[in-house]
Amino acid sequence: MKSKINLYLIEFAINSLLRQKFKNIFILMVLIFLTSLLASIFFISNSIKHELNSTLRTLPQITIQKLKAGRHYDMNLSDVDEILNIAGVSDAIPRVWGYYYFANMGTNFSIIGIDEFENQYKQTLVKATKTNDFTKALDENSMIVGEGVKKALEENYYKEYFNFIKPDGTFKKVNIGGVFKASTNLESNDTILLPKQIALEIFGMEEDKITDIVVKVANPEEIPTVASKIQIIFPDARVITNKDLEISYQNIFDYKSGIFLALFVVSIFTFFIIVYDKASGMSSEEKREIGVLKALGWKIEDVLKEKFYESFIISFLGYIIGILTALSFVYIFNAPLLNNIFTGYSELKTDFELPFIIDYNTLFLIFFLTVPIYIASTIIPSWRSATIETDKVLR
Amino acid sequence: MNKKSKYFIGITIFLISSVLILIVYLNMNESIDKKELNEKKAFLKVTALPDLAISTEAMYIRHRTLSDTFSLLKESPELREYFPSTYTYSHSHILNNTPSKVLNEK
């Protein structure tokens, strides 16, 4: 059968690779490095995307924020009633949240005030926190913090409580009532959850003010309609639907992995040019080899097949080892160094335990960026020298 | 088949199978399981704020999707240039912060 793999040719290809050991090992190394770098970047960004998307459904369908002079502005508590009157809205919850700058560490905590600390949220809070004894966590003057916050406070000798500095310069002492579970670390690391009254006090806001309103819509199909109705009632508001959030996520990660794809494209082309240049300026020895093979009766087809096996062996090995390295680098060693690209220079670093998700698109993309390109870059020049007449090459 | 090609085929099979084994292993141990997902969902249900806590210095990343309209301009990595903060020139780095009076008295 013609299409059968010729084992002798494979053997010949292996021998021919081993004859130029150092050059080929070098090419293999470069290939491994390129594939593993690109794969790692894609794996990290895919995992973060997966993490975000898996919880996207839980988020409120619509968020309403007031803008004044292009900046965020507090809303009134009475606005909630107007929204509740719109048909299709099943719930509208006023929220108080914001950032608290902790100057000692140079970090921002996210403070979230919650109204019904006890009733409505109790069940969900039990699920999300480590605290078993909820009497302490639900104490009026206490807060539930993320692990990063807990650590940051402990480093600054706040073990039991924390003194918030209010806008007027006075202190507000709040006890630490509980800690969020480690499994939510990517979401909760910098979060402080406390009763709404205390949040208002820390932010220096009046009692009837709120930061924004989240709206739940019973029927997902109605979200755009409800959003446009809200926009009519509050022309100065920014109405954010969960679709907008999804698009925003997409943009963030397309941007970050896009940079690296661009870098990779540059490096793969450099690599391609080096290989092509090296092979097209085939050493006279290699040309001679092809000439001898042809003189021995090999057809052009055979020479090309042998070259194909040669380049396939190298690039495929490079690809497989690269993927293997990337998988263990990202998911077992949690991507040291590279994760900084995605986390920035934050003081409140999360543990960065990325959830594993296998994305076949990425694997195929990397495969087609490396293997066929390398094969082409070796086959084309050898085809050129194989088509020259044998006696010319030998002479 | 000679020794070398046997080695080659052996190595290839070993590598492919180790990739597969690693994928299966990671799928079992490192992916989000249902319990964890429920905990995450519970947390988000309480806070109702999107975005991950992977960077906390810049406001556009933490709750970036809800952040201030203009914070993106000054802090975003894809920094849109706005005159003249970041464009082609910056303030002098040899600028002396010590008041001249202090220098003269020395």
Side-chain angles (χ1 to χ4, degrees), chain A residues 28-283:
Chain A
L28 186 66
M29 288 292 179
V30 174
L31 266 175
I32 291 173
F33 184 70
L34 277 177
T35 42
S36 58
L37 190 66
L38 185 69
S40 306
I41 301 278
F42 276 130
F43 286 158
I44 295 175
S45 86
N46 276 337
S47 289
I48 296 178
K49 227 188 277 182
H50 175 69
E51 173 105 18
L52 283 170
N53 286 336
S54 61
T55 50
L56 191 65
R57 287 245 174 99
T58 325
L59 291 172
Q61 278 92 349
I62 300 174
T63 314
I64 306 158
Q65 298 179 329
K66 192 174 182 179
L67 292 184
K68 197 170 186 180
R71 273 172 295 176
H72 261 237
Y73 208 72
D74 299 339
M75 299 181 88
N76 291 318
L77 199 56
S78 54
D79 294 342
V80 178
D81 297 329
E82 271 183 75
I83 290 165
L84 276 171
N85 283 335
I86 299 171
V89 172
S90 63
D91 203 1
I93 304 164
R95 284 195 311 184
V96 175
W97 67 276
Y99 305 109
Y100 178 82
Y101 184 66
F102 183 41
N104 281 8
M105 300 263 304
T107 53
N108 286 304
F109 297 148
S110 305
I111 292 187
I112 296 148
I114 281 186
D115 214 356
E116 293 92 338
F117 212 70
E118 281 187 65
N119 315 326
Q120 193 183 344
Y121 290 105
K122 192 169 177 181
Q123 277 306 312
T124 29
L125 272 176
V126 171
K127 241 188 227 173
T129 59
K130 278 179 188 165
T131 323
N132 295 321
D133 177 20
F134 249 76
T135 47
K136 201 179 156 202
L138 295 174
D139 167 28
E140 248 170 47
N141 194 27
S142 69
M143 57 185 180
I144 302 174
V145 298
E147 289 208 324
V149 178
K150 175 89 181 150
K151 225 157 110 197
L153 295 184
E154 265 172 10
E155 274 168 31
N156 289 284
Y157 308 104
Y158 289 111
K159 297 226 154 85
E160 300 279 313
Y161 64 92
F162 181 62
N163 282 329
F164 287 99
I165 304 170
K166 289 192 280 186
D168 60 4
T170 53
F171 289 115
K172 173 75 190 170
K173 185 175 157 184
V174 184
N175 298 318
I176 299 172
V179 181
F180 285 111
K181 274 187 184 152
S183 58
T184 62
N185 223 349
L186 267 177
E187 284 88 5
S188 69
N189 199 42
D190 66 335
T191 309
I192 296 175
L193 193 74
L194 34 68
K196 201 185 245 168
Q197 285 307 315
I198 302 177
L200 285 169
E201 215 180 318
I202 291 168
F203 293 143
M205 283 160 71
E206 286 159 33
E207 295 258 319
D208 59 340
K209 295 284 179 193
I210 49 175
T211 313
D212 57 11
I213 302 171
V214 294
V215 177
K216 279 178 192 155
V217 180
N219 181 3
E221 307 260 309
E222 284 178 6
I223 293 173
T225 325
V226 173
S228 60
K229 277 184 188 167
I230 293 171
Q231 190 75 69
I232 293 169
I233 299 175
F234 301 105
D236 60 341
R238 192 159 73 123
V239 182
I240 305 161
T241 61
N242 53 358
K243 188 84 197 154
D244 296 335
L245 295 184
E246 203 181 331
I247 292 167
S248 166
Y249 287 165
Q250 195 66 37
N251 285 343
I252 300 170
F253 293 106
D254 282 356
Y255 173 76
K256 285 238 173 176
S257 47
I259 292 178
F260 287 94
L261 188 60
L263 283 180
F264 181 79
V265 168
V266 174
S267 54
I268 194 82
F269 271 96
T270 320
F271 172 72
F272 174 70
I273 287 166
I274 291 170
V275 170
Y276 182 81
D277 184 60
K278 207 171 181 179
S280 64
M282 263 184 160
S283 61

